[in-house]
Amino acid sequence: MSNSQTSGPSGGVLIVDFGAQYCQLIARRVRELGVYSRITVPERALFTFEHMRPAAVILSGGPRSVYEHDAPALDPAILHKGVPVLGICYGLQWLAQHTGGLVTPAQSGAEYGRTELAVLDGQDLLAGCRPNGTVWMSHGDKVAKLGPGFTVLAQSEPCPFAVVADRSRGFFGLQFHPEVAHTEDGGLMLKNFVLGVARCRTDWNPGNLVESKIAAVRELVGSTGEVVLGLSGGVDSSVAAVLIHRAIGQRLHCVFVDNGLLRQGEREGVEALFRDHYHMDLEVVDASERFLGELRGVVDPEQKRKIIGRVFVEVFREKAAQKRNAKFLGQGTLYPDVIESVAAHGGATSTIKSHHNVGGLPKDLDLVLVEPLRDLFKDEVRALGRELGLPSALVDRQPFPGPGLAVRCLGEVTREKLTPLRAADRIVREEVEANGLQRGLWQYFAVYVPQKSVGVKGDARVYEDVCVLRLVSSQDAMTADWELLPLPVLKRISSRILNEVKGFARVCLDISSKPPATIEWE
Ligand code: XMP
């Protein structure tokens, strides 16, 4: 299912991904300007161009060298489409190479990290930028010679061609990364290109998509089709459910699987909102015995995740089979899950943890997918959720992982450990939210560490486990910083856990950033 703006002249920006770490960031920055953007791989760039008909093209950075024989190849015909092109880092080098310039290993010209940019020509692309701003470089190759028609707009100490342009053809290049926060005026440069040079249409507003999304669901599902959807209570599946429900009402059948690994009040909250408030057809499947049974004796974190993922699919498959009339599967899949990225096409990626999501159901369920959010980033889904009237407590809630409390209950998962963990987690949430502190935090939760230590409760000696508080801030979960709370709040959390929860002799605070630590403990 696609947005109406992805076919026909979009007035948007097509971003060609050469394997950049920051490609999604470029796409988000463009969308924040109110302009539709879409990412594609080099091999499909021309095809996508014809389909989308963008008003501008951005060529991303990438880890390779343009002169390597197997470097990502883009058909140079993209340069003859009559729209402005901005090359970033590798993108600039590719642009230089295909317009008569020369790219070589940088040797003394290699630059990593912050560097000062001296602006020589402050028009169009660099309009309003400070004359000596800081920019973020990360390149081992450099443009050694520019092709005919190009001029230099800015330079840095080791990099004479830091910003270049051939204005007659609308070609621009930046040797540094404008999309990262460390580049001063980077956002302004992107804005100058997208709005000033390319005059892209500023009609992208995810909040306004409600009606077109509803119409698209109706068109796909038809007047009699039925949809089954796995509701987790998280933002994505909730927004997808409400949207699809608006489109087809009682022909949407939601299934909520209680895996026994939920936080306190979670199941009741989902029932209250979706069944009682929205009057949706919601089936709650209590599969906690089955999940906990399968997890018995399992201590390896990856093993735990795999079991939870597998059992979820089994339970969901059984329920979907009972809904015989449902030919469609609703999912809250987001754009980052479907982007045709170089990494997704066999680039260098490694599995740090095998993530499990409700959206990760197997294709052989033999149902047609209904994924109304598949062209949206998370913050855009939140905007859509707000527009749909979903409560802020749901739309802005902290992420909760698919495997639930299992990845916060170290070692074997048992009811004996889940009960105190749940109680401690509720206390952390209550105290953070009662003090309005959740806005500065990405996640805030408790972890059960099965390590006995000695304590004194009342007059008795106890020998109980450890509760760890994990409080982190983050933009996108790729990196995270540990955070403190005001001391009185920390004291209250600690004292409440030690007094109200049976099973913990000690409360500790995790002060590890990501990397090298991850946010979850397993
Ligand atoms: P880590 O622990 O890898 O987590 O730093 C990054 C973010 O992802 C969440 N997370 C998951 N979410 N299924 C999910 O839906 C999973 O299996 C999963 N594992 C981690 C985690 O809560 C954090 O926000």
Side-chain angles (χ1 to χ4, degrees):
M1 222 182 67
S2 69
N3 193 291
S4 59
Q5 281 149 306
T6 57
S7 57
S10 72
V13 178
L14 179 63
I15 299 164
V16 181
D17 178 12
F18 281 121
Q21 211 180 338
Y22 301 116
C23 209
Q24 286 191 30
L25 213 46
I26 303 173
R28 281 171 57 180
R29 295 276 174 271
V30 172
R31 288 191 183 189
E32 281 161 16
L33 294 169
V35 173
Y36 179 67
S37 68
R38 179 166 172 180
I39 298 174
T40 188
V41 284
E43 306 87 72
R44 286 176 58 83
L46 278 185
F47 174 83
T48 312
F49 189 101
E50 295 310 331
H51 179 65
M52 176 186 173
R53 286 194 274 148
V57 170
I58 294 181
L59 310 176
S60 87
R64 309 293 298 275
S65 292
V66 287
Y67 45 78
E68 288 172 354
H69 74 278
D70 57 349
L74 172 64
D75 189 331
I78 199 99
L79 297 177
H80 303 290
K81 294 287 175 192
V83 302
V85 177
L86 172 67
I88 295 174
C89 200
Y90 180 99
L92 159 64
Q93 293 160 12
W94 182 91
L95 185 62
Q97 199 195 31
H98 290 87
T99 49
L102 182 68
V103 178
T104 60
Q107 290 161 2
S108 64
E111 286 179 291
Y112 296 100
R114 288 160 212 261
T115 184
E116 196 179 288
L117 184 77
V119 174
L120 309 175
D121 177 342
Q123 297 173 63
D124 45 40
L125 188 66
L126 300 181
C129 296
R130 60 203 88 191
N132 293 295
T134 300
V135 298
W136 182 263
M137 296 261 187
S138 175
H139 63 109
D141 289 337
K142 64 171 185 184
V143 176
K145 184 175 123 294
L146 289 172
F150 274 89
T151 53
V152 178
L153 308 190
Q155 55 191 204
S156 72
E157 185 57 55
C159 182
F161 304 130
V163 184
V164 301
D166 174 351
R167 290 194 170 105
S168 65
R169 287 187 285 177
F171 295 162
F172 292 82
L174 302 171
Q175 185 54 77
F176 51 86
H177 292 272
E179 68 278 15
V180 302
H182 312 287
T183 293
E184 285 177 340
D185 298 326
L188 181 56
M189 293 173 203
L190 281 176
K191 181 176 173 188
N192 285 340
F193 175 73
V194 171
L195 301 185
V197 174
R199 300 187 179 282
C200 290
R201 240 184 12 233
T202 52
D203 58 358
W204 176 253
N205 178 349
N208 290 346
L209 294 173
V210 171
E211 293 313 320
S212 65
K213 295 265 176 214
I214 289 175
V217 171
R218 284 196 184 125
E219 191 183 328
L220 178 67
V221 175
S223 56
T224 56
E226 306 207 357
V227 178
V228 58
L229 179 141
L231 188 63
S232 73
V235 180
D236 311 337
S237 64
S238 298
V239 172
V242 173
L243 196 72
I244 298 173
H245 186 246
R246 279 257 199 114
I248 61 168
Q250 292 308 99
R251 286 185 285 131
L252 169 69
H253 311 288
C254 293
V255 177
F256 177 82
V257 177
D258 181 347
N259 56 12
L261 304 163
L262 304 173
R263 289 168 295 185
Q264 195 160 312
E266 198 139 28
R267 171 173 167 173
E268 295 76 10
V270 166
E271 288 177 317
L273 184 65
F274 294 95
R275 188 183 286 150
D276 303 343
H277 177 74
Y278 283 113
H279 305 294
M280 284 189 195
D281 174 28
L282 168 68
E283 180 173 4
V284 174
V285 185
D286 186 349
S288 48
E289 283 298 332
R290 188 159 162 184
F291 278 87
L292 295 181
E294 295 258 8
L295 287 168
R296 196 165 297 133
V298 181
V299 294
D300 176 65
E302 273 303 282
Q303 200 62 22
K304 282 160 71 172
R305 281 167 180 275
K306 292 217 168 84
I307 291 170
I308 296 164
R310 170 176 58 76
V311 177
F312 178 82
V313 170
E314 285 168 12
V315 172
F316 191 82
R317 195 188 283 273
E318 287 160 20
K319 284 296 144 196
Q322 287 168 12
K323 313 222 175 272
R324 278 191 207 93
N325 294 331
K327 301 276 177 286
F328 296 88
L329 176 67
Q331 296 206 107
T333 314
L334 301 190
Y335 191 43
D337 306 327
V338 296
I339 287 174
E340 299 170 322
S341 69
V342 168
H345 283 246
T349 52
S350 68
T351 307
I352 296 173
K353 295 176 188 178
S354 51
H355 275 214
H356 150 70
N357 295 307
V358 164
L361 287 165
K363 297 209 166 47
D364 68 351
L365 278 176
D366 206 21
L367 297 167
V368 178
L369 293 180
V370 184
E371 298 179 309
L373 314 179
R374 61 180 281 129
D375 56 352
L376 302 181
F377 287 110
K378 187 88 173 187
D379 40 356
E380 297 176 322
V381 170
R382 291 206 162 100
L384 191 65
R386 272 181 217 111
E387 197 58 34
L388 282 163
L390 276 159
S392 152
L394 193 152
V395 172
D396 298 313
R397 69 185 293 189
Q398 58 170 332
F400 184 60
L405 295 179
V407 293
R408 299 176 182 172
C409 181
L410 272 54
E412 184 184 5
V413 182
T414 61
R415 283 192 197 279
E416 293 65 43
K417 285 155 83 180
L418 286 172
T419 303
L421 174 59
R422 222 171 247 133
D425 182 77
R426 175 178 50 83
I427 291 172
V428 175
R429 283 190 285 144
E430 277 175 6
E431 291 299 328
V432 167
E433 287 160 21
N435 291 283
L437 298 166
Q438 69 274 23
R439 276 182 284 281
L441 296 173
W442 172 265
Q443 274 169 299
Y444 42 100
F445 56 84
V447 180
Y448 191 110
V449 180
Q451 171 60 57
K452 296 269 182 259
S453 74
V454 176
V456 187
K457 286 191 180 173
D459 287 334
R461 175 187 185 277
V462 294
Y463 192 47
E464 292 177 324
D465 287 327
V466 178
C467 176
V468 172
L469 304 183
R470 186 71 168 136
L471 312 162
V472 297
S473 59
S474 174
Q475 293 285 320
D476 49 15
M478 303 287 283
T479 61
D481 286 319
W482 58 272
E483 294 293 336
L484 274 180
L485 296 177
L487 276 188
V489 181
L490 272 184
K491 280 187 182 165
R492 231 180 108 71
I493 291 177
S494 160
S495 127
R496 281 192 63 192
I497 292 177
L498 291 176
N499 286 295
E500 295 174 26
V501 182
K502 195 168 158 355
F504 295 123
R506 215 160 280 275
V507 177
C508 299
L509 180 64
D510 179 351
I511 53 169
S512 325
S513 62
K514 172 182 180 176
T518 51
I519 296 176
E520 304 290 349
W521 270 51
E522 284 192 343

PDB file of all heavy atoms in Angstrom, residues 226-241:
ATOM      1  N   GLU A 226     -11.954  -8.992   5.187  1.00  0.00           N
ATOM      2  CA  GLU A 226     -11.748  -8.937   6.636  1.00  0.00           C
ATOM      3  C   GLU A 226     -10.259  -8.992   6.937  1.00  0.00           C
ATOM      4  O   GLU A 226      -9.490  -9.671   6.248  1.00  0.00           O
ATOM      5  CB  GLU A 226     -12.468 -10.098   7.314  1.00  0.00           C
ATOM      6  CG  GLU A 226     -13.934 -10.132   6.907  1.00  0.00           C
ATOM      7  CD  GLU A 226     -14.852 -10.748   7.926  1.00  0.00           C
ATOM      8  OE1 GLU A 226     -14.362 -11.216   8.970  1.00  0.00           O
ATOM      9  OE2 GLU A 226     -16.066 -10.763   7.658  1.00  0.00           O
ATOM     10  N   VAL A 227      -9.859  -8.278   7.990  1.00  0.00           N
ATOM     11  CA  VAL A 227      -8.441  -8.151   8.333  1.00  0.00           C
ATOM     12  C   VAL A 227      -8.210  -8.685   9.739  1.00  0.00           C
ATOM     13  O   VAL A 227      -8.973  -8.381  10.653  1.00  0.00           O
ATOM     14  CB  VAL A 227      -8.000  -6.660   8.294  1.00  0.00           C
ATOM     15  CG1 VAL A 227      -6.540  -6.514   8.701  1.00  0.00           C
ATOM     16  CG2 VAL A 227      -8.231  -6.058   6.916  1.00  0.00           C
ATOM     17  N   VAL A 228      -7.154  -9.475   9.907  1.00  0.00           N
ATOM     18  CA  VAL A 228      -6.764  -9.889  11.255  1.00  0.00           C
ATOM     19  C   VAL A 228      -5.463  -9.164  11.591  1.00  0.00           C
ATOM     20  O   VAL A 228      -4.601  -8.992  10.732  1.00  0.00           O
ATOM     21  CB  VAL A 228      -6.643 -11.435  11.354  1.00  0.00           C
ATOM     22  CG1 VAL A 228      -5.653 -11.999  10.368  1.00  0.00           C
ATOM     23  CG2 VAL A 228      -6.284 -11.868  12.758  1.00  0.00           C
ATOM     24  N   LEU A 229      -5.356  -8.664  12.812  1.00  0.00           N
ATOM     25  CA  LEU A 229      -4.193  -7.849  13.186  1.00  0.00           C
ATOM     26  C   LEU A 229      -3.706  -8.222  14.584  1.00  0.00           C
ATOM     27  O   LEU A 229      -4.512  -8.342  15.514  1.00  0.00           O
ATOM     28  CB  LEU A 229      -4.582  -6.369  13.136  1.00  0.00           C
ATOM     29  CG  LEU A 229      -3.515  -5.341  13.518  1.00  0.00           C
ATOM     30  CD1 LEU A 229      -3.606  -4.119  12.613  1.00  0.00           C
ATOM     31  CD2 LEU A 229      -3.639  -4.897  14.968  1.00  0.00           C
ATOM     32  N   GLY A 230      -2.406  -8.424  14.718  1.00  0.00           N
ATOM     33  CA  GLY A 230      -1.812  -8.709  16.023  1.00  0.00           C
ATOM     34  C   GLY A 230      -1.546  -7.400  16.742  1.00  0.00           C
ATOM     35  O   GLY A 230      -0.708  -6.619  16.329  1.00  0.00           O
ATOM     36  N   LEU A 231      -2.306  -7.161  17.806  1.00  0.00           N
ATOM     37  CA  LEU A 231      -2.181  -5.903  18.544  1.00  0.00           C
ATOM     38  C   LEU A 231      -1.255  -6.144  19.730  1.00  0.00           C
ATOM     39  O   LEU A 231      -1.471  -7.053  20.519  1.00  0.00           O
ATOM     40  CB  LEU A 231      -3.586  -5.522  19.036  1.00  0.00           C
ATOM     41  CG  LEU A 231      -3.781  -4.171  19.663  1.00  0.00           C
ATOM     42  CD1 LEU A 231      -3.496  -3.060  18.666  1.00  0.00           C
ATOM     43  CD2 LEU A 231      -5.220  -4.054  20.158  1.00  0.00           C
ATOM     44  N   SER A 232      -0.203  -5.312  19.847  1.00  0.00           N
ATOM     45  CA  SER A 232       0.710  -5.502  20.980  1.00  0.00           C
ATOM     46  C   SER A 232       0.461  -4.470  22.063  1.00  0.00           C
ATOM     47  O   SER A 232       0.945  -4.599  23.177  1.00  0.00           O
ATOM     48  CB  SER A 232       2.152  -5.381  20.502  1.00  0.00           C
ATOM     49  OG  SER A 232       2.442  -4.012  20.220  1.00  0.00           O
ATOM     50  N   GLY A 233      -0.270  -3.407  21.696  1.00  0.00           N
ATOM     51  CA  GLY A 233      -0.449  -2.314  22.645  1.00  0.00           C
ATOM     52  C   GLY A 233       0.625  -1.251  22.476  1.00  0.00           C
ATOM     53  O   GLY A 233       0.577  -0.209  23.108  1.00  0.00           O
ATOM     54  N   GLY A 234       1.622  -1.505  21.616  1.00  0.00           N
ATOM     55  CA  GLY A 234       2.641  -0.506  21.310  1.00  0.00           C
ATOM     56  C   GLY A 234       2.102   0.520  20.320  1.00  0.00           C
ATOM     57  O   GLY A 234       0.983   0.370  19.803  1.00  0.00           O
ATOM     58  N   VAL A 235       2.913   1.540  20.049  1.00  0.00           N
ATOM     59  CA  VAL A 235       2.438   2.647  19.211  1.00  0.00           C
ATOM     60  C   VAL A 235       2.070   2.171  17.799  1.00  0.00           C
ATOM     61  O   VAL A 235       1.001   2.497  17.281  1.00  0.00           O
ATOM     62  CB  VAL A 235       3.531   3.744  19.111  1.00  0.00           C
ATOM     63  CG1 VAL A 235       3.047   4.896  18.238  1.00  0.00           C
ATOM     64  CG2 VAL A 235       3.911   4.235  20.485  1.00  0.00           C
ATOM     65  N   ASP A 236       2.937   1.376  17.180  1.00  0.00           N
ATOM     66  CA  ASP A 236       2.754   1.069  15.766  1.00  0.00           C
ATOM     67  C   ASP A 236       1.503   0.227  15.516  1.00  0.00           C
ATOM     68  O   ASP A 236       0.678   0.562  14.669  1.00  0.00           O
ATOM     69  CB  ASP A 236       3.981   0.335  15.198  1.00  0.00           C
ATOM     70  CG  ASP A 236       5.266   1.038  15.570  1.00  0.00           C
ATOM     71  OD1 ASP A 236       5.181   2.250  15.840  1.00  0.00           O
ATOM     72  OD2 ASP A 236       6.320   0.397  15.610  1.00  0.00           O
ATOM     73  N   SER A 237       1.375  -0.881  16.251  1.00  0.00           N
ATOM     74  CA  SER A 237       0.203  -1.724  15.983  1.00  0.00           C
ATOM     75  C   SER A 237      -1.073  -1.025  16.436  1.00  0.00           C
ATOM     76  O   SER A 237      -2.136  -1.225  15.841  1.00  0.00           O
ATOM     77  CB  SER A 237       0.346  -3.106  16.636  1.00  0.00           C
ATOM     78  OG  SER A 237       0.381  -3.016  18.032  1.00  0.00           O
ATOM     79  N   SER A 238      -0.978  -0.158  17.455  1.00  0.00           N
ATOM     80  CA  SER A 238      -2.181   0.550  17.911  1.00  0.00           C
ATOM     81  C   SER A 238      -2.652   1.551  16.871  1.00  0.00           C
ATOM     82  O   SER A 238      -3.843   1.639  16.571  1.00  0.00           O
ATOM     83  CB  SER A 238      -1.893   1.294  19.226  1.00  0.00           C
ATOM     84  OG  SER A 238      -1.542   0.381  20.221  1.00  0.00           O
ATOM     85  N   VAL A 239      -1.699   2.325  16.310  1.00  0.00           N
ATOM     86  CA  VAL A 239      -2.089   3.319  15.296  1.00  0.00           C
ATOM     87  C   VAL A 239      -2.635   2.593  14.068  1.00  0.00           C
ATOM     88  O   VAL A 239      -3.657   2.981  13.497  1.00  0.00           O
ATOM     89  CB  VAL A 239      -0.898   4.234  14.922  1.00  0.00           C
ATOM     90  CG1 VAL A 239      -1.243   5.130  13.744  1.00  0.00           C
ATOM     91  CG2 VAL A 239      -0.489   5.073  16.129  1.00  0.00           C
ATOM     92  N   ALA A 240      -1.972   1.496  13.673  1.00  0.00           N
ATOM     93  CA  ALA A 240      -2.447   0.734  12.511  1.00  0.00           C
ATOM     94  C   ALA A 240      -3.866   0.224  12.776  1.00  0.00           C
ATOM     95  O   ALA A 240      -4.742   0.298  11.912  1.00  0.00           O
ATOM     96  CB  ALA A 240      -1.498  -0.429  12.219  1.00  0.00           C
ATOM     97  N   ALA A 241      -4.104  -0.268  13.995  1.00  0.00           N
ATOM     98  CA  ALA A 241      -5.429  -0.825  14.317  1.00  0.00           C
ATOM     99  C   ALA A 241      -6.501   0.252  14.231  1.00  0.00           C
ATOM    100  O   ALA A 241      -7.561   0.037  13.627  1.00  0.00           O
ATOM    101  CB  ALA A 241      -5.408  -1.441  15.719  1.00  0.00           C
TER     102      ALA A 241
END
